[in-house]
Amino acid sequence: MLRGLINAYWPVKAVPDLSFTRGIFICSIGNPEPEYKDTRHNVGHKVMDQLIHMYWKEHLYKQENYYYSRKYPNLVLFKSDSTLMNLQGKIVWKHFQQFRKQSNLIVLHDDLERNLGKFQVRKPGTSSRGHNGLKSIDEVYKNKYEKIAIGIGRPSSKSVTNYVLSKFDAKEQEILDFEVIPKVVKELECKIEADLRRLRSSKGKEAPLPVGIKKV
C-alpha cells in the first residue's frame, strides 16, 4: 500500500529495456545548432530533425539525450549537435558506447562527392573521403560503422569551407525535402525492419517494449 502511495506521487520513470538487443543506433553529425542550422555541413541534422519531428513523430519518445521508438524497439536516435564537426568522434563514442555491444552504428552526414539530390549507403570500412567529422569518429571507432552519405555537391568556385558552411537556397531545400529525405527514410526503415526480424528470430520471441509503454 505504501509503495502504491509513493508511486502515485512520485511515478516511476519509464526506462528503456536494454536487456534485449537494440540493433540500430542512428546518429547525425554536424556543427552546433542553432548557429549552423540549415547549412550544408549540417544536412545530417536536417534528416534527423525530419525523422524526429515528421516521419517518425507518432512513435518516438525522448529520454535524456536519446529518442526511442514504440514501433521499433531495436532503434535509438541521437543528434550530436553539441560540438563542432571535426570534434564529433569523442562525443559520438561517449553516447554510442553504452549501446555498442548491442547495436550497429549508422552515421548521417553530408558528402561533397555526391551531387545534391543523391545519397549513398556506405558499409563499414569505406573511406571517410576527407570528411573531418568521419575522420574524428574513425580515430575512436576504427571505421566500424555504416554511413548514410547525403550529397551536397562540390563547389565550382567558392572555397570548400565557405561552401559547406553556407545555407541551402529554397530550390535546394525543396530537392532535399521532396526527393532525398523520403528515400533516406525508406532506406532506414528497411534496415530497421530487417534488423528487427533478425532479432526476433534469434530470440524466438517479440522484442519487449520499454517499461510503461503499451503496444500500438
Side-chain angles (χ1 to χ4, degrees):
M1 181 176 178
L2 179 60
R3 179 178 294 179
L5 289 172
I6 291 173
N7 288 343
Y9 287 96
W10 294 282
V12 176
K13 185 177 180 180
V15 178
D17 180 4
L18 299 183
S19 63
F20 188 90
T21 302
R22 285 190 177 269
I24 295 180
F25 185 101
I26 301 175
C27 172
S28 64
I29 59 174
N31 287 311
E33 295 190 345
E35 182 180 359
Y36 293 95
K37 187 175 178 63
D38 293 329
T39 60
R40 300 172 197 278
H41 223 12
N42 277 31
V43 72
H45 287 338
K46 181 178 178 65
V47 174
M48 180 64 77
D49 285 341
Q50 291 206 18
L51 290 174
I52 292 169
H53 301 296
M54 187 167 74
Y55 287 96
W56 296 346
K57 178 181 178 180
E58 297 304 316
H59 59 85
L60 291 181
Y61 62 100
K62 187 176 184 181
Q63 288 193 353
E64 297 180 347
N65 296 301
Y66 315 106
Y67 285 87
Y68 301 95
S69 170
R70 296 179 178 89
K71 182 178 181 180
Y72 302 125
N74 59 328
L75 176 65
V76 182
L77 300 180
F78 172 61
K79 181 178 177 180
S80 182
D81 63 348
S82 64
T83 191
L84 294 171
M85 178 68 92
N86 61 352
L87 301 176
Q88 286 290 326
K90 290 182 179 179
I91 297 296
V92 171
W93 176 250
K94 173 185 174 182
H95 290 278
F96 174 62
Q97 66 177 343
Q98 62 183 303
F99 303 96
R100 178 169 61 95
K101 293 182 179 179
Q102 304 158 316
S103 300
N104 296 319
L105 174 62
I106 298 177
V107 175
L108 306 175
H109 68 93
D110 60 300
D111 187 3
L112 284 163
E113 303 306 320
R114 301 196 72 77
N115 292 332
L116 181 71
K118 305 291 184 181
F119 78 96
Q120 183 182 25
V121 179
R122 307 186 66 223
K123 296 181 179 180
T126 51
S127 167
S128 66
R129 293 176 175 167
H131 191 289
N132 288 330
L134 297 180
K135 288 194 291 185
S136 178
I137 297 172
D138 289 347
E139 289 177 2
V140 293
Y141 197 49
K142 309 301 181 185
N143 202 353
K144 298 176 182 178
Y145 56 95
E146 278 192 80
K147 311 168 186 73
I148 303 288
I150 299 129
I152 61 172
R154 186 172 283 277
S156 57
S157 56
K158 67 171 68 175
S159 74
V160 168
T161 299
N162 290 338
Y163 178 73
V164 299
L165 295 180
S166 65
K167 295 191 175 185
F168 294 105
D169 62 31
K171 178 61 177 177
E172 291 170 329
Q173 292 273 15
E174 187 175 313
I175 291 172
L176 287 169
D177 290 341
F178 296 102
E179 296 181 26
V180 180
I181 295 179
K183 293 177 183 177
V184 172
V185 173
K186 185 175 181 180
E187 178 69 32
L188 289 172
E189 288 177 342
C190 287
K191 283 182 173 293
I192 294 164
E193 289 167 1
D195 182 75
L196 188 55
R197 288 193 298 271
R198 177 185 64 80
L199 293 174
R200 285 172 170 166
S201 175
S202 65
K203 287 286 183 179
K205 62 180 181 179
E206 183 172 330
L209 293 172
V211 175
I213 301 300
K214 295 182 179 180
K215 186 174 181 179
V216 294

